[in-house]
Amino acid sequence: MKFAPFKIENFFRQHEFSAPYGISQSDSEPLTLDELLTYASPERREQFETLWLGYTETQGHPELRHAIAQMHAGLSAADVIEVVPEEGVFLPMTSLLNPGDHVVVMQPSFQSLWEIARATGCELSFWHQRRMVDGWRFDIDELERLLRPDTRMLVINFPHNPSGYLPTCADFERIVELARRRGLILFSDEIYRFTEHDERLRLPSACELYERAIVLGGLSKCFGLPGLRVGWLITRDRELSHELQEMKSYTTICGSAPAEILALIALENREALTRRSIEIVKTNISHCCDFFGRYGDLFWIAYPDCGTITLAELKAEMSVSDFAAAAIRAAGVTVLPAEVMHIDGNYFRLGLGRRSLPEALEALEPVIKDCFR
């Protein structure tokens, strides 16, 4: 199995930790360890400080799996497998797919959501996003046309990376029903779930609606804890769960003991942590409206109702790739071009989750004026 270069990870490996500013990060403002521990009960604090650093349970800490299940209606700890977030993509794609299988995947999407299947020898069909006057959409009629009698897996991601698109509950249920009627494995990347600005917009989790759904979640985005490297897979299908756990024995085997207790602290305070992230995003959207509003002839942006990212268009003859190169060279500002995300068009990803975004935009402004005066 030979994988293509992971373009977005290569880009951030080159720039993320060397450039002083960035406007394209996908996460919300990470907490410090001290900040997270302020949320801990005395019992959890003692548990963390006296922790035995031995091997942990392969499926994950029982209390942590219970806390994850509690965020999903009708689920139990037995339905949850603790993973490293990217491992949560790798395990289903390698253990459940075979060469020649047909897989339908949203596009654009995080590269591993389709590249692992491609490298496995699967045949891919892409369900493409469409730009509308007020933002982005995915046409469910188009999805239905892509599904075939030999389709094995449908891969979805809501809230969507990188557009921030979220379907209505009725549309989401229709997508799930398309998978159910065909007995498909429905892999649902829900890593941005719980970032809805209005909780009434939140979709049910796919694992709540369909027994052959596999849901990916984690603490990296809306909880502000990417450094913990804690994620989860959820499925009610015991056969699928067994296959995933068998493959996990060839990857991480088990989780990090300190990270599991810190993750428990986070989930026991999830409403406070997600509220913190949403407030940062909403503040940044207000700032971006003011900032990019001064350059309405240069930029088109549809701000999302959930998630921490969106796509912005540079309406100029200059390519976004050249603009991004100028930004990093002249101001030390990292801008992620669309081509790195396998997207056609003169777009870049705008990250709305970091408190440093206003400062980064201030550093970028002279570059905008110099390139387009």
Side-chain angles (χ1 to χ4, degrees):
M1 189 182 302
K2 180 68 173 176
F3 299 112
F6 209 132
K7 294 178 72 172
I8 194 168
E9 296 304 323
N10 289 344
F11 178 89
F12 280 112
R13 183 163 57 244
Q14 181 180 358
H15 298 298
E16 186 172 13
F17 298 101
S18 57
Y21 305 104
I23 68 165
S24 296
Q25 294 94 334
S26 63
D27 57 354
S28 55
E29 183 71 24
L31 286 88
T32 66
L33 179 59
D34 280 347
E35 286 176 316
L36 179 57
L37 288 174
T38 63
Y39 291 95
S41 66
E43 294 77 17
R44 288 290 182 220
R45 184 68 181 249
E46 181 181 6
Q47 184 181 17
F48 178 68
E49 292 176 348
T50 61
L51 187 62
W52 181 68
L53 295 177
Y55 285 111
T56 61
E57 295 193 30
T58 299
Q59 194 170 340
H61 194 294
E63 287 187 89
L64 178 58
R65 289 189 289 112
H66 176 74
I68 293 164
Q70 288 294 103
M71 298 190 295
H72 302 81
L75 278 293
S76 72
D79 302 316
V80 179
I81 305 169
E82 179 195 343
V83 294
V84 176
E86 180 59 52
E87 180 189 27
V89 180
F90 188 82
L91 296 181
M93 302 300 172
T94 52
S95 63
L96 304 177
L97 295 176
N98 297 300
D101 284 345
H102 181 240
V103 179
V104 177
V105 189
M106 293 174 65
Q107 189 70 344
S109 57
F110 196 56
Q111 186 172 336
S112 58
L113 290 176
W114 51 269
E115 171 57 30
I116 299 172
R118 184 209 62 80
T120 300
C122 295
E123 182 182 352
L124 302 180
S125 294
F126 290 110
W127 182 25
H128 291 278
Q129 71 178 5
R130 305 298 180 194
R131 177 171 158 179
M132 313 298 284
V133 173
D134 59 345
W136 302 93
R137 297 290 184 274
F138 284 86
D139 185 338
I140 303 176
D141 290 336
E142 178 184 345
L143 168 63
E144 188 166 13
R145 290 191 293 270
L146 292 172
L147 297 173
R148 306 187 327 207
D150 63 339
T151 302
R152 175 160 175 78
M153 180 182 286
L154 169 60
V155 182
I156 59 175
N157 166 220
F158 302 118
H160 179 241
N161 171 12
S163 71
Y165 171 70
L166 188 72
T168 65
C169 187
D171 282 347
F172 184 67
E173 289 177 351
R174 183 182 168 198
I175 293 167
V176 174
E177 183 58 28
L178 288 174
R180 178 185 289 109
R181 287 207 307 260
R182 294 162 175 81
L184 306 181
I185 298 171
L186 178 63
F187 183 82
S188 181
D189 178 352
E190 299 177 8
I191 202 79
Y192 288 95
R193 192 166 181 253
F194 304 108
T195 56
E196 301 84 1
H197 301 176
D198 183 339
E199 190 173 330
R200 291 172 295 182
L201 296 173
R202 185 171 303 155
L203 298 174
S205 177
C207 61
E208 299 170 357
L209 301 178
Y210 178 41
E211 62 278 1
R212 283 181 61 79
I214 301 172
V215 163
L216 171 66
L219 300 180
S220 296
K221 306 304 181 183
C222 55
F223 293 90
L225 294 167
L228 289 191
R229 311 309 300 134
V230 172
W232 50 83
L233 291 173
I234 307 175
T235 183
R236 290 186 281 146
D237 187 301
R238 288 290 171 261
E239 181 179 346
L240 295 179
S241 180
H242 174 76
E243 293 297 324
L244 295 171
Q245 292 181 65
E246 285 291 303
M247 181 59 72
K248 190 174 189 289
S249 297
Y250 286 93
T251 53
T252 60
I253 300 178
C254 64
S256 157
E260 287 184 330
I261 305 308
L262 294 172
L264 262 172
I265 294 169
L267 292 183
E268 288 169 346
N269 296 276
R270 59 184 179 271
E271 291 185 5
L273 295 187
T274 54
R275 184 167 57 248
R276 166 187 178 270
S277 297
I278 292 167
E279 288 172 355
I280 293 171
V281 169
K282 291 170 75 172
T283 298
N284 278 337
I285 287 177
S286 178
H287 184 87
C288 286
C289 286
D290 291 339
F291 180 87
F292 289 108
R294 300 199 295 268
Y295 304 99
D297 57 331
L298 279 176
F299 298 99
W300 175 89
I301 305 173
Y303 295 103
D305 293 322
C306 57
T308 59
I309 50 178
T310 191
L311 280 175
E313 182 187 25
L314 175 63
K315 301 187 296 182
E317 291 186 7
M318 181 183 224
S319 72
V320 162
S321 294
D322 288 343
F323 176 63
I328 195 73
R329 181 177 60 250
V333 179
T334 300
V335 179
L336 179 67
E339 66 176 15
V340 178
M341 299 175 283
H342 301 270
I343 301 172
D344 294 330
N346 215 31
Y347 298 96
F348 61 92
R349 190 172 76 184
L350 179 62
L352 300 164
R354 294 287 187 93
R355 287 198 174 109
S356 59
L357 180 60
E359 184 182 4
L361 291 174
E362 182 180 352
L364 183 65
E365 190 159 25
V367 181
I368 295 173
K369 291 179 178 178
D370 185 58
C371 289
F372 306 111
R373 61 187 173 188

